[in-house]
Amino acid sequence: MPMIRDEREILSKVPAVTLGFWIIKILATTFGETAGDTVSMSLNLGYLTSTAIFAVVLVVLVGTQIAARRFHPFLYWATIVASTTAGTTLADYVTRSLGIGYTGGSALLFASVMASLLAWRLAIGSIDSDTVSSRRAEAFYWLTITLSQTLGTALSDWAADTGGLGYVGAAVVFGGLLLAVAGLALFTRVNRVLLFWAAFILTRPLGAVVGDFLDKPIDHGGLALSRPVASAVLGAVIVALILILSQKPGSHPGRARPEAA
């Protein structure tokens, strides 16, 4: 019984996946883009140094999240935001500093996400976020999330630049794909785990192109808004939504299969 109780406490830290969850997630990914660019570009620290800074913050928050005994909304979303900012600068480093381009970077990062999901599936037996019932599973959960955030940044750059869609065009495409996934979830019996991860990955490039649209120069198709100001406004909206929208852990414990931590 103690094991089951501990597993349920850990499991309760994963929030219910609701419309509010997706709204905050998209805003968090947009914030991650503007905040990441603020540190790497506006402060001129570069992609590698910025990634190191955000990685330290991310590791601390993931460790705190895993060690926590119950669901803390601000801790959870702070960890999500940390993964998006780290993903922004890491993707820029991979695609730009390493010189492999947006296509090569997207392919490499997609393979990394698939490898993380496969390793998770082999180690735990399920990649369903509803069955995150051990510290090991939660570690895979955050690793996959961080890699998906990084992949999403590369995909957004690939679509907007290499694909020639521009920021608005790319936002329309990724927004349309998200609506398609929502339609599949509502009206079909397509595997819900697959749809969850598809939506989770797609929210990142959507947020990234919106962030680029806000802060990139006008001659590059953006609005040339201040990155720090845009980040501050987005951060304030995220905090407000966390307070306003219901933030409850998902109804996962009754469905979870107990496993060793």
Side-chain angles (χ1 to χ4, degrees), residues 74-261:
F74 281 102
L75 174 59
Y76 177 85
W77 287 111
T79 311
I80 288 289
V81 167
S83 72
T84 68
T85 51
T88 294
T89 55
L90 178 58
D92 288 341
Y93 177 74
V94 169
T95 58
R96 299 171 186 175
S97 298
L98 294 184
I100 61 177
Y102 299 137
T103 302
S106 296
L108 175 62
L109 292 166
F110 178 78
S112 298
V113 173
M114 293 301 103
S116 178
L117 288 170
L118 177 61
W120 182 0
R121 179 69 173 80
L122 293 175
I124 306 299
S126 172
I127 59 173
D128 189 345
S129 63
D130 284 2
T131 61
V132 178
S133 56
S134 72
R135 287 178 171 82
R136 184 172 57 163
E138 196 172 0
F140 275 114
Y141 175 80
W142 286 110
L143 173 62
T144 304
I145 281 176
T146 301
L147 290 173
S148 74
Q149 308 280 37
T150 309
L151 168 62
T153 300
L155 283 176
S156 70
D157 290 334
W158 176 81
D161 295 336
T162 305
L165 295 176
Y167 303 128
V168 175
V172 170
V173 169
F174 289 123
L177 290 173
L178 270 176
L179 288 176
V181 171
L184 290 173
L186 290 172
F187 303 113
T188 74
R189 295 185 178 181
V190 175
N191 185 280
R192 293 304 188 261
V193 177
L194 174 64
L195 293 178
F196 171 82
W197 286 111
F200 204 97
I201 291 172
L202 286 171
T203 55
R204 176 54 178 147
L206 174 60
V209 293
V210 172
D212 282 338
F213 176 69
L214 293 176
D215 66 28
K216 287 297 188 286
I218 294 176
D219 59 357
H220 283 71
L223 296 178
L225 300 179
S226 165
R227 292 185 182 112
V229 171
S231 299
V233 171
L234 287 166
V237 173
I238 291 170
V239 170
L241 289 178
I242 292 174
L243 292 172
I244 294 171
L245 299 179
S246 176
Q247 295 291 308
K248 297 180 180 180
S251 56
H252 315 315
R255 300 175 52 191
R257 172 171 53 84
E259 58 187 357

